[in-house]
Amino acid sequence: MNKTDLVNAIAANSGLSKVDAKKALDAFVKVVSYQLKRGEKVSIVGFGSFQTTDRKARTGVNPATQQQMKIEAKRVVKFKAGAELADKVK
């Protein structure tokens, strides 16, 4: 499912127009992105939670050349599914 498919599904399930569904989805992504950038955790009961963690610098191996390389530290986003979502996916 891509963004267009998601917008269409939101519009169909909510009674919103496709334009309004796209605005709602864009607003959701913007707000979640902003909060994660600030280091905040975003939890949606029944769905899951988004949060950032810091990865330390480490040494990796280039699979093509088998040469060791340094991988720099960075902040990554993690998603943990909530119990309801996990049960529905089973």
Side-chain angles (χ1 to χ4, degrees), residues 1-74:
M1 176 178 267
N2 61 29
K3 184 176 179 179
T4 302
D5 296 334
L6 184 57
V7 167
N8 291 336
I10 291 170
N13 285 288
S14 68
L16 295 172
S17 69
K18 289 182 184 179
V19 172
D20 289 339
K22 183 180 182 312
K23 286 180 185 177
L25 180 59
D26 289 342
F28 172 79
V29 171
K30 183 178 180 179
V31 169
V32 170
S33 299
Y34 176 75
Q35 293 302 319
L36 292 174
K37 186 175 182 179
R38 290 182 53 208
E40 300 291 328
K41 181 177 180 180
V42 178
S43 296
I44 303 169
V45 175
F47 183 70
S49 60
F50 299 89
Q51 69 182 55
T52 57
T53 60
D54 293 321
R55 279 196 186 156
K56 295 179 182 178
R58 61 192 192 280
T59 302
V61 177
N62 182 335
T65 63
Q66 301 302 314
Q67 193 172 21
Q68 287 194 350
M69 55 190 277
K70 182 181 177 190
I71 301 171
E72 295 185 15
K74 65 180 179 177

